[in-house]
Amino acid sequence: MENMETKVERINREQMNMEIIREAGSILKKGGLVAFPTETVYGLGANALDEKAAAKTYAAKGRPSDNPLIVHIARLEDLYEVAEHVPEKAETLARKFWPGPLTMIFEKTSIVPYGTTGGLETVAVRMPDDEIARALILAGGGYVSGPSANTSGRPSPTTAGHVMDDLNGKIEMILDGGAVHIGVESTIVDMTSEPPMILRPGAVTKEMLEKEIGQVLVDHAVLDADSKTPPKAPGMKYRHYAPKAELTVIEGELESVVSTIQKMAGEKEEQGYRTGIIATEETVNRYSGSNIKCIGTREDESTVAANLYGILREFDADGTDYIYSESFDAEGIGSAVMNRLLKAAGHRVIKI
């Protein structure tokens, strides 16, 4: 892909510059790429109904073309243009959680190209809860594909700076809306199966979904090693969110986890490697070493989710060789944290 100059435009949410939004929308309508903030992570926007734009997206990210893209909309009525057979349960979830960090999978209509869906007959759809994102979607024609705006496999971007690190010179524009506030990608629910099934956990939890529509299943691949089947949703098949260092997750009783991490990190330091430790507010003072990062508090695991990708990128900037992380409860948003951590580690886990 030939290099281009990537323009960065800072957007003030209180006084949104619609001239910049219209310029960004024009880029999308012409088949170009614009990175934009959402409440989850920064997305790499393209016209979701343009097969060639999908190909540009895959090229910029270095992403496998069988990994489907999520179609972002800004108006509920637009769902029915891209999705066939929208069940009542999906309408219930849309009324409750849209705009918000929920993606639903439906059978696609003929206007959605296979380039966007990774060759599948299904389409993933979301309405983001971010004013900049929704303004861009409308300016860009109403249907914007938006995978995370990073090099495929790397930690997802939670600031415009992260996008620049990965995609500078590969895309036309970045809309800088500051740091995102959730920090992990949307929950993905397959509405083509009954009961509906979570394919990727996020801030909309299983418990929240079941309160609205009853039983919801969880795909076994969420916390298990990746399967060989074609991915029905982004992030299911390939190694994702990974730092350059070798990341290992330590599971077990917290006191034992702390002592094990300290021992393993110490041994690698003695061998001349740079090590990093992912700790929490509850444990950070129990470690000794030069590169210990506090990811948040166990009392509120949304803080962990918000900081995860940024910390993984900090370790990259530090030139870290080995990272050791505590594990987290696989319930609520902790399920999303563990899903991302395990994929970032390539499912390298030590249970003690």
Side-chain angles (χ1 to χ4, degrees), residues 89-111:
K89 286 183 178 180
E91 292 177 334
T92 299
L93 293 179
R95 285 193 298 270
K96 177 69 177 179
F97 298 112
W98 277 2
L102 174 68
T103 295
M104 292 186 278
I105 292 178
F106 307 95
E107 294 173 33
K108 81 176 190 72
T109 64
S110 59
I111 70 167

Side-chain angles (χ1 to χ4, degrees), residues 17-131:
N17 187 329
M18 293 309 296
E19 189 176 327
I20 293 172
I21 296 291
R22 283 191 290 272
E23 181 186 352
S26 177
I27 290 170
L28 295 182
K29 286 178 176 177
K30 293 174 183 174
L33 305 179
V34 177
F36 63 99
T38 77
E39 72 277 22
T40 56
V41 299
Y42 271 72
L44 179 57
N47 180 353
L49 307 185
D50 180 347
E51 192 103 41
K52 291 180 180 177
K56 285 185 183 178
T57 303
Y58 289 120
K61 284 177 60 66
R63 178 187 178 107
S65 61
D66 68 343
N67 200 359
L69 308 174
I70 293 172
V71 177
H72 291 64
I73 60 174
R75 299 172 298 213
L76 184 57
E77 59 264 31
D78 291 341
L79 169 63
Y80 302 91
E81 297 298 316
V82 294
E84 297 268 20
H85 311 304
V86 177
E88 188 178 332
K89 286 183 178 180
E91 292 177 334
T92 299
L93 293 179
R95 285 193 298 270
K96 177 69 177 179
F97 298 112
W98 277 2
L102 174 68
T103 295
M104 292 186 278
I105 292 178
F106 307 95
E107 294 173 33
K108 81 176 190 72
T109 64
S110 59
I111 70 167
V112 184
Y114 289 111
T116 295
T117 67
L120 300 175
E121 297 293 341
T122 53
V123 61
V125 187
R126 153 164 137 82
M127 186 191 299
D129 183 22
D130 184 287
E131 312 96 316

Side-chain angles (χ1 to χ4, degrees), residues 237-250:
K237 181 177 179 182
Y238 300 97
R239 187 174 182 229
H240 271 62
Y241 325 116
K244 295 171 185 173
E246 181 178 292
L247 170 62
T248 303
V249 180
I250 314 298

Side-chain angles (χ1 to χ4, degrees), residues 39-271:
E39 72 277 22
T40 56
V41 299
Y42 271 72
L44 179 57
N47 180 353
L49 307 185
D50 180 347
E51 192 103 41
K52 291 180 180 177
K56 285 185 183 178
T57 303
Y58 289 120
K61 284 177 60 66
R63 178 187 178 107
S65 61
D66 68 343
N67 200 359
L69 308 174
I70 293 172
V71 177
H72 291 64
I73 60 174
R75 299 172 298 213
L76 184 57
E77 59 264 31
D78 291 341
L79 169 63
Y80 302 91
E81 297 298 316
V82 294
E84 297 268 20
H85 311 304
V86 177
E88 188 178 332
K89 286 183 178 180
E91 292 177 334
T92 299
L93 293 179
R95 285 193 298 270
K96 177 69 177 179
F97 298 112
W98 277 2
L102 174 68
T103 295
M104 292 186 278
I105 292 178
F106 307 95
E107 294 173 33
K108 81 176 190 72
T109 64
S110 59
I111 70 167
V112 184
Y114 289 111
T116 295
T117 67
L120 300 175
E121 297 293 341
T122 53
V123 61
V125 187
R126 153 164 137 82
M127 186 191 299
D129 183 22
D130 184 287
E131 312 96 316
I132 297 170
R134 293 199 306 276
L136 174 66
I137 292 163
L138 293 174
Y143 305 95
V144 173
S145 58
S148 54
N150 60 317
T151 301
S152 190
R154 296 267 291 123
S156 298
T158 54
T159 68
H162 295 161
V163 181
M164 279 293 282
D165 288 344
D166 283 13
L167 299 182
N168 187 21
K170 297 180 179 180
I171 65 177
E172 282 87 343
M173 182 183 283
I174 300 169
L175 297 180
D176 181 358
V180 307
H181 69 267
I182 291 178
V184 292
E185 294 82 357
S186 60
T187 305
I188 299 179
V189 182
D190 184 0
M191 302 306 297
T192 69
S193 63
E194 181 55 43
M197 180 177 286
I198 295 173
L199 303 184
R200 182 178 74 187
V204 177
T205 65
K206 181 176 188 285
E207 295 79 10
M208 292 162 69
L209 294 165
E210 290 188 329
K211 184 177 178 184
E212 303 301 322
I213 60 169
Q215 185 183 19
V216 175
L217 304 179
V218 180
D219 189 278
H220 71 88
V222 164
L223 292 176
D224 293 339
D226 293 350
S227 68
K228 298 291 190 287
T229 55
K232 199 168 186 180
M236 288 193 74
K237 181 177 179 182
Y238 300 97
R239 187 174 182 229
H240 271 62
Y241 325 116
K244 295 171 185 173
E246 181 178 292
L247 170 62
T248 303
V249 180
I250 314 298
E251 290 186 355
E253 191 272 323
L254 192 55
E255 292 298 327
S256 300
V257 166
V258 171
S259 59
T260 300
I261 288 176
Q262 186 68 68
K263 180 172 181 289
M264 294 180 73
E267 289 172 351
K268 288 295 183 186
E269 289 276 358
E270 288 175 6
Q271 295 168 21

